[in-house]
Structure formats: C-alpha cells, structure tokens
Amino acid sequence: MQTILGANGIIGEGLARELRKNYTPHIKLVGRNPQKVDPNDELFRADLMDSESVVKALENTDIAYLTVGLPYDSQIWLRDWVIVMQNVINACRKNHCKLVYFDNTYAYPQDSKIQTENTPLTSNGEKGKGKKLAAELLLKAIANKEIEAVICRAPEFYGPGITKGLTNSLIFENLKKGKEPKVFLKDNVLRTLIFTPDASKAMALIGNTAAAFGETWHLPCDDNRLTYKQFIAEIEHQLGRQVKYKVLPWLVLKIGSFFDKNLKETQELLPRYAIDNIFESSKFKTTFPDFKVTTYAEGIKIIIYDYKIK
C-alpha cells in the first residue's frame, strides 16, 4: 500500500495517477475530505494535526507521501508545520513505513545564488522558518535512523488543472478571464518553474527507488529558463496574437498588501522576483537520465489547451 497524505491538491492527484499507472494498484488517499482520483482508490479521513489519526491513516502502508498544503498564512505555517511533520514521523515509525516529503523553497534565502540540495535553510520569512523547522525535524529523524525518508523539493509551480502558483494565477488565469496578465517587479530576470505533472512523476519515481532514500532531491525543471518577457512571448507565439501585460512595481505591491491578504502573505517571497531565480536539478537528471522533463514551450501549450485560452 502506498498512501498519500494530503491527496487532493494538484501534486497529490498527479501522484495518485502516476503511482497507479506505473507502481502499485494499492493506493490510499488521506485528507479531511479525500476524493477518489481513480474508482479503486481507498479513502481515509484524517486530520494531520491529530497524531493518533495519522497513525491509523498509515496502517498497512509501505510508502507514505506527504503532499499536504496548509492555509497560506504565516502564523499557521510557523505553528503547524512542525506539528504535522512530527505526527507523520511518529506514524511512519510506528507503522514501519517509508516517507517521501514534498517540500518547497520557502526556507531558502531570497538571493540570486544557485539553489542546490546543499543550499542552507536560512530564510528570514515566517513561512520559510516554518518550512525550515519541518525539514530539520525530518533530517534529524533520518540521521537518527528513526525512519527511512527522502525530501523532494520543488520551486514555483506552473501547470494545468487546479495548479496553484503565481504564474498560473497572474498570467494564465487572467488570460482565461480575458484580463491583462501581470508580472511581479521585473520581466527581465530568469525564473525557474516546475511543471506540476513532472513534479508528481518525479516524486513517484524517487519514492519507488530504494537507493534514493536518506537524501534531499531537487525535482526536475527545464534548464532553458525564461524571463517572464520571454515566457509571455512564447504564449504570444502559440496564440498567434499579441499579449499585453503589466509589470507591478514594489510600491504597488506594498500598497496592495494592505488590502489583499494573499498579497500580504506573498511579501516574503518578493525579493526573488527582482533577481534571477536559478533552481538547479542536475542531481536528479544525472541519476534518472531517462526522465523526460517538460519544456516551457510544451508546458505552455498544455496549459493553453487545458484553460481553453484563445
């Protein structure tokens, strides 16, 4: 049995499909209100903040995947990520199952240095601190041989379906609504984005590769990084028309944060939108050379079709 904790986000849904397609027919989806991805999925209602609930959720599980997303609130992340991680570690230990943790880059510093698996977790943001504490708990459990586990880390999402991320919400969602796309701060700095189906497939591969455990892995992204200016130019090329967009400066975003809670919660990440953001994933690509990474042109094409953008 392979169990997904927090199964109905875009990563969990893609993971469930990939596991069933290539690895196992025995899949359990866990959440407060889990929904089947496949008719044969097993469902289990659980609250990851409740330790006993997590223990029961992982009964008869060989590999657990932690893909849950907490509400986008700094205080919740700082308070609850540690609790969730400790509950999951304890449950994995009691049930003798492996853990695959899907992490993001919030805990990385907001600078232009190339991000690798060895980048220190030194973010000063509240959400970054919450993710750092969770990652450190798991790294300590791995070092102490409490459980077998692996960390899979990904940068900002873009992708089809219910993908959530700034690129999707500011560019593709606006295009879908016939509105003008927006870009934070600068359109001439390089971005590293991960295509959500690639993230799910790569995590399933790592989770089912015994030798991958005990380490941190950057999930694979297209190395031919684009600026948002180039990204939108590719959209224009595929749509066969001009796409006018607006670059939002610091002052506008700061003023907006007083009226928009999501924008306020994004403030700690803003420095990353003013500089090149280079998330490096050569370790994965070298270890798994047959994995096909979706190019930005391919990913944009898929999203345009999925969103029915004209």
Side-chain angles (χ1 to χ4, degrees):
M1 177 73 72
Q2 299 199 24
T3 298
I4 304 173
L5 302 170
N8 291 124
I10 189 65
I11 299 301
E13 287 187 4
L15 178 60
R17 293 188 186 94
E18 181 67 13
L19 290 176
R20 183 170 295 282
K21 179 181 178 183
N22 290 312
Y23 301 101
T24 178
H26 305 297
I27 297 170
K28 186 191 300 183
L29 307 182
V30 178
R32 292 177 183 270
N33 185 33
Q35 305 294 318
K36 290 186 177 183
V37 177
D38 182 275
N40 295 311
D41 290 338
E42 179 180 336
L43 301 182
F44 190 96
R45 290 178 181 270
D47 179 358
L48 300 188
M49 293 290 289
D50 178 355
S51 59
E52 288 304 313
S53 181
V54 184
V55 171
K56 292 178 181 177
L58 293 186
E59 288 179 354
N60 303 313
T61 295
D62 300 305
I63 304 173
Y65 299 83
L66 180 56
T67 65
V68 69
L70 298 185
Y72 199 60
D73 182 291
S74 294
Q75 294 309 306
I76 291 176
W77 281 37
L78 192 57
R79 181 191 67 215
D80 292 354
W81 264 116
V82 174
I83 299 171
V84 168
M85 181 59 75
Q86 191 62 66
N87 287 345
V88 172
I89 290 171
N90 292 343
C92 286
R93 185 176 64 247
K94 289 181 180 180
N95 285 290
H96 306 288
C97 72
K98 296 179 178 181
L99 174 62
V100 181
Y101 172 44
F102 182 72
D103 197 11
N104 60 30
T105 61
Y106 273 74
Y108 284 165
Q110 305 296 320
D111 58 33
S112 59
K113 292 180 181 178
I114 296 174
Q115 297 170 346
T116 72
E117 285 86 352
N118 295 318
T119 294
L121 307 179
T122 57
S123 170
N124 292 320
E126 296 296 284
K127 284 187 282 296
K129 290 177 183 177
K131 294 297 282 184
K132 174 186 177 180
L133 292 171
E136 288 179 341
L137 263 182
L138 182 54
L139 290 170
K140 182 179 178 181
I142 293 171
N144 292 339
K145 301 187 184 304
E146 294 179 46
I147 61 171
E148 283 190 77
V150 61
I151 296 175
C152 296
R153 190 165 285 135
E156 183 190 326
F157 298 165
Y158 83 112
I162 59 172
T163 295
K164 293 181 180 179
L166 286 173
T167 299
N168 266 61
S169 61
L170 294 177
I171 295 178
F172 293 110
E173 290 288 351
N174 278 327
L175 283 170
K176 183 178 180 179
K177 297 172 184 174
K179 296 182 178 180
E180 185 179 62
K182 295 179 176 61
V183 171
F184 282 173
L185 300 181
K186 292 185 179 181
D187 65 352
N188 61 350
V189 294
L190 294 173
R191 309 296 305 151
T192 306
L193 306 174
I194 191 164
F195 193 59
T196 45
D198 285 2
S200 296
K201 291 176 183 178
M203 187 162 51
L205 177 56
I206 288 173
N208 287 276
T209 302
F213 280 76
E215 301 181 32
T216 296
W217 294 82
H218 275 189
L219 298 181
C221 305
D222 183 3
D223 286 334
N224 297 308
R225 299 169 185 85
L226 304 178
T227 65
Y228 273 128
K229 184 175 182 178
Q230 294 169 324
F231 195 89
I232 292 175
E234 177 60 33
I235 294 174
E236 290 180 324
H237 172 72
Q238 295 199 23
L239 292 177
R241 65 176 175 85
Q242 184 181 21
V243 174
K244 294 183 178 181
Y245 64 96
K246 182 178 293 184
V247 178
L248 303 179
W250 282 101
L251 183 58
V252 169
L253 295 173
K254 184 65 176 177
I255 294 173
S257 69
F258 291 109
F259 307 97
D260 186 315
K261 186 177 186 298
N262 284 334
L263 191 54
K264 179 181 178 181
E265 292 293 339
T266 304
Q267 290 293 303
E268 71 178 80
L269 284 186
L270 286 185
R272 202 172 284 179
Y273 287 84
I275 55 177
D276 289 342
N277 179 230
I278 310 298
F279 176 92
E280 205 264 348
S281 51
S282 61
K283 175 182 173 180
F284 179 95
K285 292 166 186 167
T286 300
T287 306
F288 304 102
D290 294 332
F291 188 97
K292 184 183 182 303
V293 179
T294 302
T295 67
Y296 288 111
E298 292 168 339
I300 288 169
K301 182 178 181 179
I302 291 169
I303 299 168
I304 286 174
Y305 177 81
D306 184 64
Y307 278 33
K308 296 179 173 60
I309 298 170
K310 302 297 184 182

